[in-house]
Amino acid sequence: MHRCLKILEIVDAVCVHLNSPDPLLLSSRHLSAVARTCTTFSGPALDHLWSVAPLEQLLIYCMPSDLWALERFNDFETIYSCGPGYVYKTWLPSEALSGLSVSLPKGLFQNPQTLTWKHEEAEFHHIKLFLRPTLTDISIGLPSLSAVSLLSTLAAECPKIATVYIDSSASHYTPHISDFIQEVQSPERVSVYSLTQDVLEHLSRLPTLLSLGLQTLPPTLQASPAQETNGFTSLSTLLLGHPGIRPTTELLGLCSAAPLTKFRASFVGFVTATEMHELFVAMAAGFSHPTLQHLCLDTGNGEQESDPATLPIPHHFLRPLLSFNNLALLSVVAPVGFDLDNDAVSDVARALPHIVTFKLLARFLTETPRTTLGCLHSFAQYCPQLESLSIALDATNAPTVDLDRRSQSDILHQGLRVLNVANSPISNAISVARFLSLVFPKIRSLVTQREYSNNDEDDEEVMLEHAVAIAHHKCWKEVDALLPHVLGIREEGRALERAESAA
């Protein structure tokens, strides 16, 4: 045997490669074969085999062979219970759990690490059968208050828990879930519906926390006098489902240079430009500027366009976001969009040299954008890695295309594949297609905000109410259809020029 295979890290890497989650690769058979090869591979391969072994299948195979019927369908094994009315797919039937509660040996499954439990109320208490001190990852659904009461047992019997996912949207469970999270000794990844303020402050002081996911936040979240200014020192991912924007801004007040790589939030209720700006300022103050790579903010679907206080976000309100110059994804959807001109877009593009996906859109576009097709030059010039661009612009007057490609070589962009123009106004499909084919010759998909609303055209009221938007959508789809032909003509011209130069 080669000497490198005596290095445990290399042997473990081989087992990780074989331990693919794809069932078509039959990784368990490969690992089983490796485990029987020699003593060097036996231990690591068995560890990986047991780490992914489906608990329900192991238990079923321990039962009498005549209790289950094994059928084969499309080369996959499906096990059917012989009991009345039960079809086994992923979860053990109730009778099996009841039987195991009186017969399962305590020494069985001594080293489990991950437990996923989504049983209904009548079966939830059977989770105690599988709680072991070695568990590190717990994923559970809470069907009732009686199930919530078992959380204290879980914390006591599983002291090594690092990853917690609790699926429950009942807000009255929040105090119980918060008490449980506070009992977890070294949480690394926490995803729950909500937490109380004192537990959020507690988590902000823990150096172990890497990821936090919450659906809602307390209505008011003010840092207590005892709260340290340096919070969430290891947090890399913060995902907020549907909080209010003010509690979110207050939560960021607990951060101080948090090394986030990903931040996502989708806000409910009324959101003003001033509130968005306050959030941007809190982000710039609370997050590490070099580390943030993914930023996604959405204002939701509330009917806000009729409120007089709803105004486009001025371009200078975006300046705090431009300090995150390593962003690969920036997606911000504001109620009525952004008040930008071409110069402002140039400043934004210049500040984001690593951007791959860029999206600044309005939930409701109420005014003609001040940005024009000419703003696309800035993305072509300053964002070489850009692949997807979503922005509203005025395309009624396309820039004149200089047929001399040499003068345009500095803005030719080979990376952009997707362009989302939302509800952008447009008048001449041919001139727009000519311009886009020159700046973004690799573009493959052009979409609008009405991309998936074609069925609405069967409704006469919808046709009348959105007649202008529908007309713009149709014109952009003409551009989409023209682009391959225009690109083909340009490529033929380039080929002809190369042939003439060679001659």
Side-chain angles (χ1 to χ4, degrees):
M1 181 179 295
H2 197 281
R3 287 182 297 174
C4 70
L5 295 179
K6 296 182 180 180
I7 302 174
L8 292 180
E9 289 80 0
I10 293 178
V11 174
D12 188 69
V14 172
C15 294
V16 169
H17 178 73
L18 294 174
N19 192 16
S20 169
D22 188 348
L24 296 178
L25 297 181
L26 301 175
S27 58
S28 61
R29 297 184 183 180
H30 293 157
L31 279 172
S32 178
V34 168
R36 295 192 300 270
T37 300
C38 64
T39 55
T40 300
F41 279 94
S42 179
L46 286 173
D47 288 341
H48 283 277
L49 272 172
W50 281 98
S51 70
V52 298
L55 182 60
E56 59 271 14
Q57 288 190 19
L58 294 175
L59 291 173
I60 287 169
Y61 289 141
C62 289
M63 295 179 183
S65 59
D66 58 353
L67 184 62
W68 306 91
L70 190 64
E71 297 185 7
R72 184 171 293 275
F73 179 72
N74 289 344
D75 293 328
F76 289 94
E77 290 182 350
T78 304
I79 302 173
Y80 296 85
S81 169
C82 292
Y86 287 100
V87 178
Y88 170 80
K89 289 185 182 292
T90 35
W91 306 111
L92 288 170
S94 179
E95 283 82 352
L97 287 170
S98 299
L100 288 171
S101 65
V102 296
S103 61
L104 183 66
K106 292 185 177 181
L108 193 61
F109 311 121
Q110 295 183 356
N111 299 302
Q113 296 181 0
T114 301
L115 177 61
T116 300
W117 194 264
K118 300 293 178 65
H119 284 277
E120 298 300 325
E121 179 177 3
E123 302 169 350
F124 188 88
H125 66 282
H126 289 302
I127 190 176
K128 293 185 290 186
L129 294 171
F130 308 104
L131 297 183
R132 298 290 187 273
T134 56
L135 285 174
T136 59
D137 297 5
I138 295 286
S139 177
I140 59 176
L142 294 179
S144 66
L145 189 60
S146 61
V148 173
S149 65
L150 292 173
L151 290 177
S152 58
T153 301
L154 194 154
E157 297 193 18
C158 309
K160 295 183 179 181
I161 291 178
T163 299
V164 177
Y165 173 79
I166 299 179
D167 183 10
S168 172
S169 58
S171 58
H172 55 277
Y173 292 168
T174 297
H176 304 278
I177 295 174
S178 298
D179 291 342
F180 164 66
I181 295 298
Q182 195 156 18
E183 293 177 9
V184 177
Q185 298 179 12
S186 301
E188 296 179 5
R189 295 172 180 83
V190 174
S191 180
V192 297
Y193 181 73
S194 186
L195 292 171
T196 59
Q197 173 170 337
D198 57 337
V199 174
L200 284 171
E201 291 188 2
H202 165 72
L203 290 177
S204 73
R205 294 188 290 267
L206 298 180
T208 58
L209 190 67
L210 304 175
S211 175
L212 178 62
L214 300 168
Q215 288 298 308
T216 65
L217 291 169
T220 58
L221 187 62
Q222 298 290 344
S224 64
Q227 170 64 32
E228 301 175 8
T229 58
N230 194 21
F232 294 112
T233 56
S234 300
L235 192 67
S236 63
T237 300
L238 178 58
L239 307 177
L240 304 177
H242 302 287
I245 190 168
R246 288 197 178 278
T248 301
T249 303
E250 293 165 356
L251 174 66
L252 302 191
L254 301 179
C255 301
S256 179
L260 252 70
T261 60
K262 180 185 296 184
F263 176 50
R264 185 182 71 212
S266 180
F267 305 113
V268 295
F270 183 79
V271 178
T272 67
T274 300
E275 288 174 325
M276 293 290 282
H277 180 240
E278 291 173 351
L279 177 70
F280 297 160
V281 172
M283 290 170 51
F287 299 161
S288 167
H289 295 179
T291 59
L292 192 65
Q293 297 180 10
H294 289 194
L295 171 60
C296 184
L297 304 173
D298 196 329
T299 56
N301 296 302
E303 295 292 333
Q304 304 171 7
E305 76 275 23
S306 61
D307 196 299
T310 305
L311 299 173
I313 297 177
H315 68 88
H316 60 275
F317 278 16
L318 289 173
R319 287 174 185 164
L321 298 185
L322 304 187
S323 59
F324 301 105
N325 54 14
N326 282 324
L327 281 174
L329 183 152
L330 173 63
S331 176
V332 184
V333 179
V336 292
F338 305 83
D339 184 19
L340 303 174
D341 57 18
N342 289 4
D343 290 337
V345 169
S346 179
D347 292 339
V348 172
R350 188 183 293 109
L352 303 174
H354 305 292
I355 198 73
V356 176
T357 300
F358 182 95
K359 180 178 182 180
L360 288 183
L361 288 181
R363 180 65 62 186
F364 310 100
L365 188 61
T366 58
E367 299 179 359
T368 300
R370 293 199 295 138
T371 49
T372 69
L373 279 172
C375 78
L376 300 182
H377 287 296
S378 297
F379 291 107
Q381 182 175 359
Y382 299 118
C383 306
Q385 301 177 51
L386 187 65
E387 297 179 2
S388 177
L389 173 62
S390 301
I391 190 170
L393 40 80
D394 184 357
T396 54
N397 293 304
T400 302
V401 175
D402 188 345
L403 296 179
D404 182 0
R405 293 191 348 271
R406 289 172 295 180
S407 64
Q408 300 288 348
S409 60
D410 60 330
I411 59 169
L412 195 67
H413 191 285
Q414 300 288 343
L416 191 75
R417 297 293 186 272
V418 179
L419 177 62
N420 182 349
V421 295
N423 285 332
S424 299
I426 182 175
S427 58
N428 189 302
I430 295 177
S431 60
V432 172
R434 291 182 67 202
F435 174 77
L436 290 178
S437 67
L438 180 65
V439 182
F440 299 119
K442 300 296 184 181
I443 191 170
R444 292 293 178 267
S445 178
L446 196 155
V447 299
T448 77
Q449 193 164 328
R450 298 193 61 81
E451 197 70 26
Y452 306 104
S453 303
N454 293 335
N455 293 335
D456 293 344
E457 298 181 14
D458 297 333
D459 190 323
E460 292 185 4
E461 293 184 5
V462 172
M463 290 288 290
L464 290 174
E465 182 180 357
H466 301 285
V468 174
I470 291 172
H472 290 159
H473 168 76
K474 290 181 177 180
C475 194
W476 279 110
K477 299 319 290 183
E478 288 182 31
V479 175
D480 195 23
L482 285 169
L483 274 174
H485 302 289
V486 178
L487 287 167
I489 293 172
R490 289 196 183 280
E491 186 56 38
E492 289 177 3
R494 295 188 184 100
L496 182 59
E497 285 187 4
R498 288 193 295 268
E500 292 175 352
S501 299

